[in-house]
Each structure stands twice: as structure tokens, then as C-alpha cells.
Amino acid sequence: MDLVPALEEPLKKGLGPATAKVMAEHLGLHTVGDLLHHYPRRYEERGQLTHLADLPMDEHVTVVAQVADARLHTFASAKAPRGKGQRLEVTITDGSGRLQLVFFGAGVHKPHKELLPGTRAMFAGKVSVFNRRVQLAHPAYELLRGDAEETVETWAGALIPIYPATAKLESWKIGKALQTVLPSAQEAVDPLPESLRAGRGLVGLPEALLKIHRPHTKADVEDARARLKWDEAFVLQVALARRRHADAQLPAVARRPKPDGLLTAFDDRLPFTLTEGQRKVSAEIFTDLATEHPMHRLLQGEVGSGKTMVALRAMLAVVDAGGQAAMLAPTEVLAQQHHRSVTEMMGELAEGGMLGGAETATKVVLLTGSMGAAARRHALLDLATGEAGLVIGTHALIEDKVKFHDLGLVVVDEQHRFGVEQRDALRGKGKQPPHLLVMTATPIPRTVAMTVFGDLETSVLDQLPAGRSPIASHVVPAADKPHFLARAWERVREEVEGGHQAYVVCPRIGDEEDDPKKAGRKKSPEDEAERRPPLAVLDIAEQLAAGPLRGLRVEVLHGRMQPDDKDAVMRRFAAGEVDVLVATTVIEVGVNVPNATAMVIMDADRFGVSQLHQLRGRVGRGSAPGLCLLVTEMPEASPARQRLTAVASTLDGFELSRIDLEQRREGDVLGQAQSGTRSSLRMLAVVDDEEIIAEAREEAAGIVAADPELTGLPGLRTALEALLDEEREQYLEKG
């Protein structure tokens, strides 16, 4: 994060080209500064040992333990038919459990000599199971003699740092590399203003880097962590505060709806009353729209809480005020569905300029990449002349050719698939910057909202409209209890016999070409058994139609179908002409078929928590209760299975998003949400460090308000440039 000459030095200069190459390829570390910011994951104490009892399967681990016993076995095999094959089995212990290490062939000689009972060492390898026992096969190891000069020097102090490592580079090799570059830490330029550091009793950056990599006591580690967390939270919040500040300087046209215009006419024809939450959030939005700075608001709400209705009313208010409003959807299927539901909700109000259209009516156009040339020309003309007040489309809306008459509001659906740069491109379409409303159906814990969407004000819809039915969710353990799966298909038949419809969701389509690159790679037998390919829509649809759902009308829907075909299938399903729709996650967002009451999610463990919650929200949208069955072959004790149990146990999206965050590494969540954020969070845990994030946000706002250009804080400017460089780089990579 700190780009100063000593820290900009390429690693190959100090560590040699071979080590530098592995660090760049496997850990993304290129400079001395990158390596100094590669912090230990945890620390082992010489007197205490790792918990062998709870090692994660299939992960690379580093453990510190003592050899309990070692036995050399000979056996016959294809390579050594005369019983000359050798296998060394070493049992290590740490007091909490025992673990077996296995070495084969010529690889047994060195460990046989070195790993004598009583020896202590660090071992690194991949955890696997053989004959129902947990083991490390051919682990790398480093003896901890405690007397040899070099080892004592390397592991100075009682705490041994364990680094995030890879099979190609063990933790202790990273530790040795760090010893080499650690003196450069003295030259790190501090991004935190002196007053902030003193006021919060934080140690300086050089000291924090020394203490994180070579702590003598646990207090050293705490000091260093407290300081480094602040760096990450603060630099990120300053970046967001500057973006907020810059946006607040922009002029915008205030948009106030006419007293008896389109919005009033729309409200009058609604067959239901808005929820308290919808009214409150609408009021916040209308207040923002009436100001002369662009609104930047994040609207988050539960699946089915009526976000689209709130967004549509905001769009109508802008049309009333003489402007145009655009809604951007992440996929064509979704854009088409939004277009269909908006025109249905508006009725004759969407027929501006047509016979039978109401006098306050406007035109609602759809714009997607796959439209025919004539339809597209027509839509573009309606936008340019202002004939169309509302446009709903995909990223096609951002293209250069698209011109608006007077763009007043942009609504972005499903923000996490949509970067800051695209927001800016669409913003550039207005004569003055348009107002911006971002909708997300994945409830976001407050801390993540502050970290990822810190440049937006937040509104939350947390109550469901009347008429939504409860959804019962159950885990179906297909491997342990195959009869549960048979019962699941019976339940689907029962729902259909009761006049309802069902979804079956699969992770894969099934017509993928086998990737020749992947095919060439050898898989270990464990991989083969463990990870069969995810179940596919085309295969499952065929099996169901021929088997447990024989006689029902089963159709498929997936992202690689032609847009017209997708649309036709969705229309047939919505019209009740299809009993069971076997689909990929294209149905995840925005599909509204109130008659669909059951959903079976195959290989549910392959989906994320919030994705499962989203999918489940597609049933129970009418008066009949919903049923969601999560089918998995994962064993009961596995983390994947615990995740599914969590989803089955609550319908509260905010609670689930918290669980999701705790279970996945933050990086995934943030990386998805915004380019660049992932790489900048190494120490900060978004769920646990809520206070730091909130305080950093306040400090950042104060500093940016006083000195937007940060002229008095060169260290902070450098850190920001490094963060934003990374963000730009990542954006280009994604591009």
C-alpha cells in the first residue's frame, strides 16, 4: 500500500528470481511492500501446539507438533513387486489430537533419519483422508531444534508466524523471505495523520510491520493488528469520502412530481396499499430528488419486499417533472421481466402516444443487445426525442450510440454486478448528472454497506408486503438418506396435482464443451470421488421427465438459450402451461410467478448463502405457502452442510448475509461487490471490526471536508494512489 522507493523494490532483487516468481504467481506479491503487507494468518507458540483435532479437509495447513512414533513398512506393489516398496508412517501429536504423516519410496530416507520420537517440527501439506484416517501425505517439514543458530535466528521470539502459504511455498520459507526484507519496513511512509495516530494511541507503521512479523509477545501482535486494521479501514473510507465529496459538488436538476400527474394516476390504480416501509423509503427518495445535487442512494431490501415498486414510483416522479428515467438490469432475461412487469403495473399509463393511452401516459421502451435492428432504431429514437419517459435495459444502455433527451434518474438493479465505472458512464448521458438509485436484493450488513457502498446513502425495506406466504425450507441429504430425495420428487408431484408449479434449479447447463486444457490435467483419486461435476439442467430435466416426474410438463431454461426462446418459456411458465421448470440461476432475481410454490435446488452446496436465499424468494409469492428443498450429498459435519442448515433455519436475509460473511472470507464478498476492495483488505474483518469502520468513516469525512485534495497529507495521498491503482488495475482485468 505504501509506494516508496525501498518498498517498491522488486522482490527478485533481494530474494532471487525463483522465489520471486513463485511469490508473484501464487501469492500475487511483486514488491518488498507487497511482501511486508502479507501478514501472518496466526501464530504458534513454541510451548503450545496447533489443534490437530480440527484440521480443515482438503486445505493446505501448517502445524507445529511433536513426533510420537515412526514406523517403516515394506510392501509389494507394481513398482516394487518383491516387497521392496517402503512406506514411512509417522504419528505426530499436539495434545489435542494425533495426525498421521505418510512418506513413500525414496522419499522415506531423510524423514526416517530426522523424524525421531520427541522431535518437534513444523509440517505443511494438504489434509486428506485415507482409510478413514486424517493424514498429510509427503508433507514438507522444518525441524525446530531451538539450538541451531539459523533456526533460532529465523524464529526469534516465542511466537512463530504462520503465513497464508501455497503448496509451492511453505509458511517458513515466506517467513525467511520476510526476515530478508524486514529492515525496509523502517522506510514505510505513514498514511495516518499524526493527530489521528496520537489521539487513538496507535503505533507508527514501521513499528507495526516489525511487530506483526516478529512479535515477542501477544501484546505486540495486538498492537500491530490494531494499527494495521486502522490503515485499511481509514484509507478505504477516505477514498469513499472523496468520492462522496466530489459527487456532492456536482449540480443536478431538482425533480419534483406534478400534483396531479403520472405518479398520482399510478397510485390511484394500485390494487393494494403500500407498506409503511415503502412509504417511508419513497419519502426519503423524493426528498433527495427535489435537491440540486445528484441523489446517490442504495435501496436494499428482502427478497419480495417491493423494491421494484419503490423504484418505479421514483421513476414516474421524474417523468412527471419532465425528465426521463432509466433502469439498468444485469441480464437480458431480467430486463425483459422488468419491462413486462412495469408495463403490466402501469396499464394504459404506459401507452403514451398510442390510442387508448391515458393523457398523462408515457412510453416505456426496452433496450437490450439482442434486439433486432429496426426495434433498436425505434427505441433509440424514442429516447432521443423524449417520447419515451422510461427505458429498461441491460448494459446496452451505456453504449455511445444511446442518447437521451433529458436523463433525470438512473436505477441500477443488483449493484454487485455493476462497477463504479459503469455508473459513471451512464451518468455522463444526462445534460447534468442524473440522480442515482441502486437496488440490491441481497441484504447487506451495515458494516459491508459502509465499506463497499460508502459513497451511497442507504435505505432499507425490511417488511414484506401483505399476501406473501411463508416458505418452509428443508435440507435433503441425498447421500445419507436417498429415500428423502425420492420423497422430494413426490412432494413436487403433490404440489402440481394441487394446481401449482415448481422450479428445479441446477448449477450447470450441461451442453458445455469439455475444456481440453482441463481434460489434460490429472486428478487425484480423492478429487475424482470428492468433486463430481455439478448436476446439469439438461441431464436432470431428461431424468425427471423419464423418471420421478413422468407425465408432468417439464421444460428447461438457461442463459445460453436465445432470448426469444427464454422469453417464450417464461411466458408459458407464467401462464401455467408448464408444470416444472428446470433452470439455472437465471431465475434468481425478479421472476414473479405467484402460482409457483415449490423449489428443489440440486447440489445446493455449490451455491452461496445469499444466492440460495435469492432463489428461495421465487416461491411463496402468492397465497399458497412455499416449499424449498436443498438437496446435497455433503456429509453432515461439513461446513457446506452447516451453511445449508443455516439457510433452512431462517428467512431473515440480514441474518443470512451475516452468516455468509462469517463463513466466506471477506474478500469474496467484497471482491464481488466492488473492484479493488478485495485486495485492500488483509487485516480488517468486516463483521468483527464494525466499530473501527464506523470511526474511520467519521475521521475520513472530517479530513476530506477540511482538505479535499489532502495537500497536507502526502503519506495518505500515496497510500490512496496505491489503493486506487489496484482498483483501476482490477477493473481493467475484469473489463
Short mmCIF file of all heavy atoms in Angstrom, two decimals, residues 8-61:
data_model
loop_
_atom_site.label_atom_id
_atom_site.label_comp_id
_atom_site.label_asym_id
_atom_site.label_seq_id
_atom_site.Cartn_x
_atom_site.Cartn_y
_atom_site.Cartn_z
N GLU A 8 9.20 -0.24 -3.10
CA GLU A 8 8.83 -0.53 -4.49
C GLU A 8 9.80 -1.51 -5.12
O GLU A 8 9.60 -1.98 -6.23
CB GLU A 8 8.87 0.76 -5.33
CG GLU A 8 7.56 1.50 -5.34
CD GLU A 8 7.67 2.76 -6.18
OE1 GLU A 8 8.19 2.67 -7.31
OE2 GLU A 8 7.26 3.82 -5.69
N GLU A 9 10.89 -1.77 -4.41
CA GLU A 9 11.92 -2.66 -4.94
C GLU A 9 11.34 -4.02 -5.33
O GLU A 9 10.62 -4.63 -4.54
CB GLU A 9 12.95 -2.88 -3.82
CG GLU A 9 14.21 -3.49 -4.29
CD GLU A 9 15.39 -2.51 -4.17
OE1 GLU A 9 15.29 -1.39 -4.70
OE2 GLU A 9 16.35 -2.87 -3.51
N PRO A 10 11.60 -4.50 -6.56
CA PRO A 10 11.06 -5.81 -6.94
C PRO A 10 11.67 -6.91 -6.06
O PRO A 10 12.84 -6.84 -5.68
CB PRO A 10 11.49 -5.99 -8.40
CG PRO A 10 12.22 -4.77 -8.79
CD PRO A 10 12.38 -3.87 -7.62
N LEU A 11 10.88 -7.93 -5.76
CA LEU A 11 11.34 -8.99 -4.86
C LEU A 11 12.52 -9.76 -5.42
O LEU A 11 13.35 -10.28 -4.68
CB LEU A 11 10.19 -9.95 -4.56
CG LEU A 11 9.14 -9.40 -3.58
CD1 LEU A 11 7.95 -10.33 -3.48
CD2 LEU A 11 9.75 -9.20 -2.19
N LYS A 12 12.60 -9.86 -6.77
CA LYS A 12 13.66 -10.73 -7.29
C LYS A 12 15.04 -10.19 -6.97
O LYS A 12 16.01 -10.92 -6.91
CB LYS A 12 13.47 -11.02 -8.77
CG LYS A 12 13.56 -9.87 -9.75
CD LYS A 12 13.61 -10.47 -11.17
CE LYS A 12 13.48 -9.42 -12.24
NZ LYS A 12 12.07 -9.04 -12.50
N LYS A 13 15.10 -8.87 -6.69
CA LYS A 13 16.40 -8.30 -6.37
C LYS A 13 16.94 -8.86 -5.05
O LYS A 13 18.08 -9.27 -4.94
CB LYS A 13 16.26 -6.77 -6.28
CG LYS A 13 17.51 -6.05 -6.65
CD LYS A 13 17.26 -4.60 -6.92
CE LYS A 13 18.56 -3.84 -6.72
NZ LYS A 13 18.39 -2.42 -6.68
N GLY A 14 16.05 -8.93 -4.04
CA GLY A 14 16.53 -9.39 -2.74
C GLY A 14 16.40 -10.89 -2.52
O GLY A 14 17.15 -11.48 -1.75
N LEU A 15 15.43 -11.52 -3.20
CA LEU A 15 15.14 -12.92 -2.88
C LEU A 15 15.57 -13.90 -3.97
O LEU A 15 15.44 -15.10 -3.81
CB LEU A 15 13.63 -13.11 -2.65
CG LEU A 15 12.99 -12.24 -1.57
CD1 LEU A 15 11.51 -12.54 -1.48
CD2 LEU A 15 13.64 -12.48 -0.21
N GLY A 16 16.00 -13.35 -5.11
CA GLY A 16 16.36 -14.25 -6.21
C GLY A 16 15.15 -14.53 -7.10
O GLY A 16 14.02 -14.50 -6.63
N PRO A 17 15.40 -14.77 -8.39
CA PRO A 17 14.31 -14.89 -9.36
C PRO A 17 13.36 -16.05 -9.10
O PRO A 17 12.17 -15.93 -9.30
CB PRO A 17 15.03 -15.07 -10.70
CG PRO A 17 16.47 -15.31 -10.38
CD PRO A 17 16.74 -14.83 -9.01
N ALA A 18 13.88 -17.20 -8.59
CA ALA A 18 13.00 -18.37 -8.45
C ALA A 18 11.92 -18.11 -7.39
O ALA A 18 10.73 -18.28 -7.63
CB ALA A 18 13.83 -19.60 -8.09
N THR A 19 12.36 -17.66 -6.20
CA THR A 19 11.39 -17.39 -5.12
C THR A 19 10.44 -16.27 -5.54
O THR A 19 9.23 -16.35 -5.31
CB THR A 19 12.15 -16.96 -3.83
OG1 THR A 19 13.13 -17.95 -3.56
CG2 THR A 19 11.22 -16.84 -2.66
N ALA A 20 10.99 -15.22 -6.17
CA ALA A 20 10.16 -14.07 -6.57
C ALA A 20 9.08 -14.52 -7.55
O ALA A 20 7.93 -14.07 -7.48
CB ALA A 20 11.03 -12.99 -7.20
N LYS A 21 9.44 -15.46 -8.44
CA LYS A 21 8.47 -15.92 -9.45
C LYS A 21 7.31 -16.65 -8.76
O LYS A 21 6.14 -16.40 -9.04
CB LYS A 21 9.19 -16.86 -10.43
CG LYS A 21 8.31 -17.31 -11.58
CD LYS A 21 9.15 -18.01 -12.66
CE LYS A 21 8.27 -18.34 -13.85
NZ LYS A 21 7.95 -19.71 -14.01
N VAL A 22 7.64 -17.53 -7.81
CA VAL A 22 6.57 -18.26 -7.09
C VAL A 22 5.70 -17.27 -6.32
O VAL A 22 4.47 -17.37 -6.30
CB VAL A 22 7.18 -19.30 -6.12
CG1 VAL A 22 6.09 -20.00 -5.32
CG2 VAL A 22 7.97 -20.35 -6.90
N MET A 23 6.32 -16.28 -5.68
CA MET A 23 5.54 -15.31 -4.91
C MET A 23 4.59 -14.51 -5.80
O MET A 23 3.45 -14.23 -5.43
CB MET A 23 6.46 -14.35 -4.15
CG MET A 23 7.14 -15.03 -2.99
SD MET A 23 7.78 -13.84 -1.81
CE MET A 23 8.05 -14.92 -0.40
N ALA A 24 5.08 -14.15 -6.99
CA ALA A 24 4.24 -13.37 -7.91
C ALA A 24 3.09 -14.24 -8.42
O ALA A 24 1.94 -13.82 -8.42
CB ALA A 24 5.09 -12.85 -9.07
N GLU A 25 3.41 -15.47 -8.83
CA GLU A 25 2.39 -16.30 -9.48
C GLU A 25 1.36 -16.84 -8.49
O GLU A 25 0.18 -16.91 -8.79
CB GLU A 25 3.05 -17.48 -10.21
CG GLU A 25 3.70 -17.04 -11.52
CD GLU A 25 4.44 -18.16 -12.21
OE1 GLU A 25 4.34 -19.32 -11.74
OE2 GLU A 25 5.12 -17.88 -13.21
N HIS A 26 1.83 -17.24 -7.30
CA HIS A 26 0.91 -17.92 -6.40
C HIS A 26 0.32 -17.03 -5.31
O HIS A 26 -0.72 -17.33 -4.76
CB HIS A 26 1.59 -19.14 -5.75
CG HIS A 26 1.91 -20.20 -6.76
ND1 HIS A 26 1.03 -21.18 -7.10
CD2 HIS A 26 3.01 -20.39 -7.54
CE1 HIS A 26 1.57 -21.95 -8.05
NE2 HIS A 26 2.76 -21.50 -8.31
N LEU A 27 1.01 -15.95 -4.98
CA LEU A 27 0.51 -15.10 -3.89
C LEU A 27 0.25 -13.67 -4.34
O LEU A 27 -0.19 -12.83 -3.55
CB LEU A 27 1.50 -15.12 -2.72
CG LEU A 27 1.70 -16.48 -2.04
CD1 LEU A 27 2.91 -16.45 -1.12
CD2 LEU A 27 0.46 -16.89 -1.26
N GLY A 28 0.56 -13.36 -5.60
CA GLY A 28 0.32 -12.00 -6.10
C GLY A 28 1.22 -10.96 -5.45
O GLY A 28 0.86 -9.79 -5.35
N LEU A 29 2.41 -11.38 -4.99
CA LEU A 29 3.33 -10.44 -4.33
C LEU A 29 4.46 -10.10 -5.30
O LEU A 29 5.12 -11.00 -5.81
CB LEU A 29 3.91 -11.06 -3.06
CG LEU A 29 2.89 -11.64 -2.07
CD1 LEU A 29 3.59 -12.34 -0.91
CD2 LEU A 29 1.99 -10.54 -1.53
N HIS A 30 4.67 -8.80 -5.54
CA HIS A 30 5.68 -8.40 -6.54
C HIS A 30 6.80 -7.56 -5.96
O HIS A 30 7.93 -7.62 -6.41
CB HIS A 30 5.01 -7.62 -7.68
CG HIS A 30 3.90 -8.40 -8.33
ND1 HIS A 30 4.12 -9.35 -9.29
CD2 HIS A 30 2.57 -8.39 -8.11
CE1 HIS A 30 2.96 -9.89 -9.65
NE2 HIS A 30 2.01 -9.33 -8.95
N THR A 31 6.46 -6.74 -4.94
CA THR A 31 7.47 -5.81 -4.42
C THR A 31 7.70 -6.08 -2.93
O THR A 31 6.95 -6.81 -2.29
CB THR A 31 6.98 -4.35 -4.54
OG1 THR A 31 5.81 -4.22 -3.71
CG2 THR A 31 6.62 -3.99 -5.96
N VAL A 32 8.74 -5.44 -2.40
CA VAL A 32 9.04 -5.54 -0.97
C VAL A 32 7.82 -5.10 -0.15
O VAL A 32 7.44 -5.73 0.83
CB VAL A 32 10.27 -4.67 -0.63
CG1 VAL A 32 10.45 -4.54 0.87
CG2 VAL A 32 11.53 -5.29 -1.27
N GLY A 33 7.19 -4.03 -0.60
CA GLY A 33 5.99 -3.53 0.11
C GLY A 33 4.88 -4.57 0.12
O GLY A 33 4.22 -4.78 1.15
N ASP A 34 4.66 -5.26 -1.01
CA ASP A 34 3.62 -6.30 -1.06
C ASP A 34 3.91 -7.38 -0.02
O ASP A 34 3.03 -7.85 0.69
CB ASP A 34 3.61 -7.00 -2.44
CG ASP A 34 3.12 -6.08 -3.54
OD1 ASP A 34 2.53 -5.04 -3.20
OD2 ASP A 34 3.34 -6.40 -4.72
N LEU A 35 5.20 -7.78 0.06
CA LEU A 35 5.56 -8.87 0.98
C LEU A 35 5.39 -8.41 2.43
O LEU A 35 4.90 -9.16 3.28
CB LEU A 35 7.00 -9.34 0.70
CG LEU A 35 7.51 -10.49 1.55
CD1 LEU A 35 6.58 -11.69 1.50
CD2 LEU A 35 8.92 -10.92 1.11
N LEU A 36 5.77 -7.17 2.73
CA LEU A 36 5.61 -6.67 4.10
C LEU A 36 4.13 -6.64 4.51
O LEU A 36 3.79 -6.74 5.68
CB LEU A 36 6.21 -5.27 4.24
CG LEU A 36 7.74 -5.22 4.26
CD1 LEU A 36 8.22 -3.77 4.21
CD2 LEU A 36 8.30 -5.92 5.49
N HIS A 37 3.24 -6.49 3.51
CA HIS A 37 1.81 -6.48 3.82
C HIS A 37 1.18 -7.86 3.69
O HIS A 37 -0.04 -7.99 3.69
CB HIS A 37 1.08 -5.47 2.93
CG HIS A 37 1.32 -4.04 3.35
ND1 HIS A 37 0.83 -3.54 4.53
CD2 HIS A 37 2.02 -3.04 2.77
CE1 HIS A 37 1.22 -2.28 4.65
NE2 HIS A 37 1.94 -1.95 3.61
N HIS A 38 2.00 -8.90 3.55
CA HIS A 38 1.49 -10.28 3.56
C HIS A 38 1.60 -10.73 5.02
O HIS A 38 2.64 -11.18 5.46
CB HIS A 38 2.36 -11.15 2.64
CG HIS A 38 1.83 -12.55 2.47
ND1 HIS A 38 0.69 -12.84 1.75
CD2 HIS A 38 2.28 -13.74 2.93
CE1 HIS A 38 0.48 -14.15 1.78
NE2 HIS A 38 1.42 -14.71 2.49
N TYR A 39 0.51 -10.54 5.77
CA TYR A 39 0.59 -10.72 7.21
C TYR A 39 0.41 -12.19 7.60
O TYR A 39 -0.26 -12.94 6.91
CB TYR A 39 -0.50 -9.90 7.92
CG TYR A 39 -0.52 -8.46 7.54
CD1 TYR A 39 -1.71 -7.83 7.19
CD2 TYR A 39 0.65 -7.70 7.54
CE1 TYR A 39 -1.75 -6.48 6.84
CE2 TYR A 39 0.61 -6.35 7.19
CZ TYR A 39 -0.58 -5.75 6.84
OH TYR A 39 -0.61 -4.44 6.50
N PRO A 40 0.96 -12.58 8.77
CA PRO A 40 0.72 -13.95 9.26
C PRO A 40 -0.78 -14.18 9.48
O PRO A 40 -1.50 -13.27 9.87
CB PRO A 40 1.44 -13.97 10.61
CG PRO A 40 2.47 -12.89 10.52
CD PRO A 40 1.87 -11.83 9.66
N ARG A 41 -1.21 -15.41 9.20
CA ARG A 41 -2.62 -15.74 9.43
C ARG A 41 -2.84 -15.95 10.93
O ARG A 41 -3.88 -15.65 11.47
CB ARG A 41 -2.91 -17.03 8.67
CG ARG A 41 -4.33 -17.52 8.84
CD ARG A 41 -4.58 -18.72 7.95
NE ARG A 41 -4.83 -18.30 6.59
CZ ARG A 41 -4.70 -19.10 5.53
NH1 ARG A 41 -4.30 -20.34 5.69
NH2 ARG A 41 -4.95 -18.66 4.32
N ARG A 42 -1.85 -16.54 11.59
CA ARG A 42 -1.94 -16.77 13.03
C ARG A 42 -0.53 -17.03 13.53
O ARG A 42 0.42 -16.99 12.74
CB ARG A 42 -2.86 -17.96 13.35
CG ARG A 42 -2.45 -19.22 12.68
CD ARG A 42 -3.50 -20.34 12.79
NE ARG A 42 -3.14 -21.45 11.92
CZ ARG A 42 -2.26 -22.38 12.22
NH1 ARG A 42 -1.65 -22.35 13.40
NH2 ARG A 42 -1.96 -23.35 11.39
N TYR A 43 -0.38 -17.31 14.83
CA TYR A 43 0.95 -17.55 15.41
C TYR A 43 0.90 -18.83 16.22
O TYR A 43 -0.10 -19.12 16.87
CB TYR A 43 1.34 -16.39 16.33
CG TYR A 43 1.40 -15.08 15.60
CD1 TYR A 43 0.25 -14.32 15.43
CD2 TYR A 43 2.59 -14.61 15.05
CE1 TYR A 43 0.28 -13.12 14.72
CE2 TYR A 43 2.63 -13.42 14.35
CZ TYR A 43 1.47 -12.68 14.18
OH TYR A 43 1.51 -11.51 13.47
N GLU A 44 2.00 -19.58 16.17
CA GLU A 44 2.10 -20.75 17.03
C GLU A 44 3.09 -20.39 18.14
O GLU A 44 4.08 -19.72 17.89
CB GLU A 44 2.67 -21.95 16.25
CG GLU A 44 1.74 -22.47 15.20
CD GLU A 44 0.45 -23.03 15.77
OE1 GLU A 44 0.29 -23.05 17.00
OE2 GLU A 44 -0.40 -23.43 14.98
N GLU A 45 2.81 -20.87 19.33
CA GLU A 45 3.77 -20.66 20.41
C GLU A 45 4.61 -21.92 20.54
O GLU A 45 4.10 -23.02 20.39
CB GLU A 45 3.03 -20.40 21.71
CG GLU A 45 2.36 -19.05 21.73
CD GLU A 45 1.65 -18.83 23.04
OE1 GLU A 45 2.35 -18.58 24.04
OE2 GLU A 45 0.43 -18.91 23.08
N ARG A 46 5.88 -21.73 20.87
CA ARG A 46 6.74 -22.91 20.99
C ARG A 46 6.16 -23.91 21.98
O ARG A 46 6.24 -25.10 21.80
CB ARG A 46 8.12 -22.50 21.47
CG ARG A 46 8.91 -21.90 20.37
CD ARG A 46 10.30 -21.59 20.86
NE ARG A 46 11.03 -20.94 19.80
CZ ARG A 46 11.46 -21.55 18.71
NH1 ARG A 46 11.24 -22.81 18.54
NH2 ARG A 46 12.12 -20.89 17.79
N GLY A 47 5.63 -23.40 23.07
CA GLY A 47 5.17 -24.32 24.11
C GLY A 47 3.78 -24.89 23.83
O GLY A 47 3.32 -25.77 24.51
N GLN A 48 3.09 -24.33 22.81
CA GLN A 48 1.72 -24.78 22.57
C GLN A 48 1.65 -25.31 21.17
O GLN A 48 2.35 -24.87 20.30
CB GLN A 48 0.79 -23.58 22.63
CG GLN A 48 0.48 -23.15 24.00
CD GLN A 48 -0.68 -22.17 23.95
OE1 GLN A 48 -0.89 -21.50 22.95
NE2 GLN A 48 -1.42 -22.10 25.02
N LEU A 49 0.75 -26.24 20.95
CA LEU A 49 0.70 -26.83 19.63
C LEU A 49 -0.64 -26.57 18.97
O LEU A 49 -1.63 -26.29 19.63
CB LEU A 49 0.98 -28.33 19.76
CG LEU A 49 2.37 -28.59 20.36
CD1 LEU A 49 2.56 -30.05 20.68
CD2 LEU A 49 3.46 -28.14 19.40
N THR A 50 -0.62 -26.68 17.65
CA THR A 50 -1.84 -26.47 16.87
C THR A 50 -2.88 -27.49 17.24
O THR A 50 -2.53 -28.61 17.58
CB THR A 50 -1.55 -26.81 15.38
OG1 THR A 50 -0.20 -26.60 15.16
CG2 THR A 50 -2.46 -26.05 14.49
N HIS A 51 -4.13 -27.17 17.07
CA HIS A 51 -5.17 -28.16 17.30
C HIS A 51 -5.27 -29.10 16.11
O HIS A 51 -5.84 -28.78 15.10
CB HIS A 51 -6.51 -27.47 17.53
CG HIS A 51 -6.66 -27.08 18.96
ND1 HIS A 51 -6.84 -28.01 19.95
CD2 HIS A 51 -6.61 -25.86 19.56
CE1 HIS A 51 -6.90 -27.39 21.12
NE2 HIS A 51 -6.77 -26.09 20.91
N LEU A 52 -4.71 -30.28 16.27
CA LEU A 52 -4.80 -31.25 15.18
C LEU A 52 -6.22 -31.78 15.07
O LEU A 52 -6.62 -32.30 14.05
CB LEU A 52 -3.85 -32.43 15.44
CG LEU A 52 -2.35 -32.07 15.44
CD1 LEU A 52 -1.53 -33.32 15.65
CD2 LEU A 52 -1.95 -31.40 14.14
N ALA A 53 -6.97 -31.64 16.16
CA ALA A 53 -8.31 -32.24 16.17
C ALA A 53 -9.23 -31.57 15.15
O ALA A 53 -10.14 -32.20 14.63
CB ALA A 53 -8.89 -32.12 17.57
N ASP A 54 -9.01 -30.27 14.86
CA ASP A 54 -9.97 -29.65 13.93
C ASP A 54 -9.31 -29.10 12.67
O ASP A 54 -9.45 -27.93 12.35
CB ASP A 54 -10.78 -28.54 14.64
CG ASP A 54 -9.96 -27.83 15.69
OD1 ASP A 54 -9.31 -28.54 16.45
OD2 ASP A 54 -9.97 -26.59 15.78
N LEU A 55 -8.59 -29.95 11.97
CA LEU A 55 -7.97 -29.51 10.72
C LEU A 55 -9.00 -29.52 9.59
O LEU A 55 -9.77 -30.46 9.47
CB LEU A 55 -6.81 -30.46 10.34
CG LEU A 55 -5.57 -30.35 11.21
CD1 LEU A 55 -4.52 -31.34 10.74
CD2 LEU A 55 -4.98 -28.95 11.16
N PRO A 56 -8.99 -28.50 8.75
CA PRO A 56 -9.96 -28.47 7.65
C PRO A 56 -9.54 -29.43 6.52
O PRO A 56 -8.37 -29.47 6.16
CB PRO A 56 -9.90 -27.02 7.17
CG PRO A 56 -8.54 -26.54 7.56
CD PRO A 56 -8.12 -27.32 8.77
N MET A 57 -10.48 -30.16 5.97
CA MET A 57 -10.17 -31.10 4.88
C MET A 57 -9.76 -30.36 3.62
O MET A 57 -10.26 -29.28 3.33
CB MET A 57 -11.42 -31.93 4.54
CG MET A 57 -11.80 -32.92 5.61
SD MET A 57 -10.39 -33.89 6.13
CE MET A 57 -9.97 -34.66 4.60
N ASP A 58 -8.87 -31.00 2.86
CA ASP A 58 -8.52 -30.50 1.52
C ASP A 58 -7.86 -29.14 1.53
O ASP A 58 -7.83 -28.49 0.51
CB ASP A 58 -9.79 -30.39 0.64
CG ASP A 58 -10.08 -31.72 0.00
OD1 ASP A 58 -9.21 -32.60 0.08
OD2 ASP A 58 -11.17 -31.88 -0.55
N GLU A 59 -7.38 -28.69 2.70
CA GLU A 59 -6.71 -27.39 2.68
C GLU A 59 -5.25 -27.58 3.01
O GLU A 59 -4.87 -28.54 3.67
CB GLU A 59 -7.35 -26.44 3.70
CG GLU A 59 -8.62 -25.83 3.17
CD GLU A 59 -9.08 -24.67 4.02
OE1 GLU A 59 -8.22 -24.02 4.66
OE2 GLU A 59 -10.30 -24.41 4.03
N HIS A 60 -4.43 -26.63 2.54
CA HIS A 60 -3.03 -26.67 2.93
C HIS A 60 -2.91 -26.12 4.32
O HIS A 60 -3.38 -25.04 4.60
CB HIS A 60 -2.20 -25.81 1.96
CG HIS A 60 -1.71 -26.62 0.82
ND1 HIS A 60 -0.59 -27.41 0.90
CD2 HIS A 60 -2.24 -26.83 -0.39
CE1 HIS A 60 -0.44 -28.05 -0.24
NE2 HIS A 60 -1.43 -27.73 -1.04
N VAL A 61 -2.29 -26.89 5.20
CA VAL A 61 -2.18 -26.41 6.58
C VAL A 61 -0.72 -26.44 7.00
O VAL A 61 0.10 -27.15 6.42
CB VAL A 61 -2.98 -27.30 7.56
CG1 VAL A 61 -4.44 -27.24 7.24
CG2 VAL A 61 -2.47 -28.73 7.54
#
